[in-house]
Amino acid sequence: MPFTANDLRYRAEQSYPLLYAYLHRNAQRYLGALKYDAFEVDTVIGHVVEQLVRLGILGGEDRTPKVH
C-alpha cells in the first residue's frame, strides 16, 4: 500500500486514486462471482469510502480527532 493513514487524512486528493485502485483490487478478489459486475464493485468501494469519510480517516484533516 503506497499511502499511509496520514496521507488519507491530510492529502486525500492525491491519495484517493491509489486508495480506489487498492479497494477495487480487493473488492474484486472477495466478491467471487460478482467480481465482474461493475455496479457491485462500485457499491462496495463506495461503502468503504463513505465509512472512511464518516470516521474522519479520509480527508478528516484536523476537524476530527485522530484515530488510535
Side-chain angles (χ1 to χ4, degrees):
M1 189 164 61
F3 54 88
T4 64
N6 191 54
D7 292 336
L8 292 175
R9 189 175 179 115
Y10 295 102
R11 290 183 282 289
E13 297 83 20
Q14 292 86 4
S15 57
Y16 184 78
L18 298 171
L19 174 65
Y20 185 88
Y22 174 80
L23 293 174
H24 191 273
R25 208 171 32 252
N26 283 299
Q28 282 188 317
R29 181 181 308 147
Y30 292 106
L31 279 173
L34 297 173
K35 68 181 175 181
Y36 297 112
D37 185 341
F39 177 77
E40 293 297 331
V41 173
D42 284 342
T43 299
V44 170
I45 293 170
H47 180 70
V48 172
V49 168
E50 179 182 312
Q51 296 305 310
L52 290 173
V53 169
R54 184 181 67 77
L55 292 169
I57 296 171
L58 181 60
E61 297 182 1
D62 289 331
R63 295 183 303 268
T64 56
K66 287 191 176 184
V67 178
H68 298 306

